[in-house]
Structure formats: C-alpha cells, structure tokens
Amino acid sequence: MNQRKDALEILSDVGMLGCKSSTTPMTSDSHLFQDSSAPFPDPSSYRRLIRILIYLTNTRLDLCFFVQQLAQFMAKPTITHHSTTLKVLRYIKGILAIGLFFSSASTVQLKAYSDSDWAVCPDT
C-alpha cells in the first residue's frame, strides 16, 4: 500500500517534480509558530496543499507530525510556513517508493508508538 502516484501528482501540480530531494522533512531547529513575518500571498493554495498532505499521511505515517505542525497555520500562513511545506515536499520526492506491505499469509501484528515533543511550541 503506497501513494506513489498521488505523491507524483502533488509534486507535478506544485512544479517540484524535478526538484532535489531531501533526507529529512524538517530540520531539528525548525520551530514553527505564528509570528508577524510576511504573510503567504495565496493562503488558499497553502490550505489545499496541506489537505493533500493530510491525505498522504494515510500510508506515510512518518509525515503525520510534520503535516500536523503545518496544518496549525492554515488560517494565516506565512512565507516561512510555505517554505517549510516545500521542504516536506522535497522529502516526499526522496521517499516515493516507500510504502506499507501487508502479506495476506502473515500473522504479524503491527504496533507503533510515538513520542511527540509538544513543549517546543510557543503558541500552546
């Protein structure tokens, strides 16, 4: 189960099909918050992009935290938020072939745990 076709369509729509890939979706020093920096000129395209990224999290669980962080700023996205979203897209470009495989003959049970760092958000 993967969404390679969907990811390629997203990259094509945004014009990033030929972009250089990234090994990480965000840098560790990226702390997003609502500030008074320049607003993104087209908030509706930012919202559309975030909605599409939320859809990708169905099979790309490694994107959940980063997309959730970016989704907090859908009301008033800034240029910083948009550039961080483009970094996530460059990461997606590098992991197009990765997906989930569930064998019908397997008895393995999938269990996952997450440790989120909520303390770094200055808004909450």
Side-chain angles (χ1 to χ4, degrees):
M1 178 173 25
N2 70 32
Q3 293 173 300
R4 177 184 168 89
K5 181 180 178 276
D6 297 324
L8 284 170
E9 286 177 8
I10 293 166
L11 292 170
S12 177
D13 288 348
V14 180
M16 295 183 66
L17 202 52
C19 74
K20 184 179 177 183
S21 63
S22 174
T23 57
T24 59
M26 270 189 209
T27 58
S28 61
D29 60 347
S30 293
H31 298 294
L32 297 175
F33 54 92
Q34 194 66 50
D35 58 4
S36 59
S37 63
F40 185 62
D42 188 6
S44 63
S45 69
Y46 178 85
R47 291 181 194 112
R48 180 181 176 276
L49 187 55
I50 296 301
R51 283 192 303 267
I52 293 169
L53 288 174
I54 289 171
Y55 175 71
L56 277 183
T57 62
N58 287 324
T59 58
R60 296 305 328 216
L61 302 177
D62 55 332
L63 297 175
C64 288
F65 175 75
F66 307 105
V67 173
Q68 176 272 136
Q69 289 290 301
L70 292 166
Q72 293 181 35
F73 307 103
M74 288 176 71
K76 291 183 181 179
T78 64
I79 292 175
T80 303
H81 301 136
H82 184 258
S83 63
T84 305
T85 305
L86 297 180
K87 170 93 170 145
V88 172
L89 289 174
R90 286 192 297 275
Y91 172 71
I92 290 171
K93 168 86 189 282
I95 59 162
L96 286 172
I98 298 174
L100 299 173
F101 176 75
F102 299 103
S103 171
S104 61
S106 177
T107 59
V108 176
Q109 292 183 345
L110 179 65
K111 293 183 182 182
Y113 300 92
S114 174
D115 182 17
S116 300
D117 187 5
W118 297 101
V120 297
C121 180
D123 294 329
T124 58

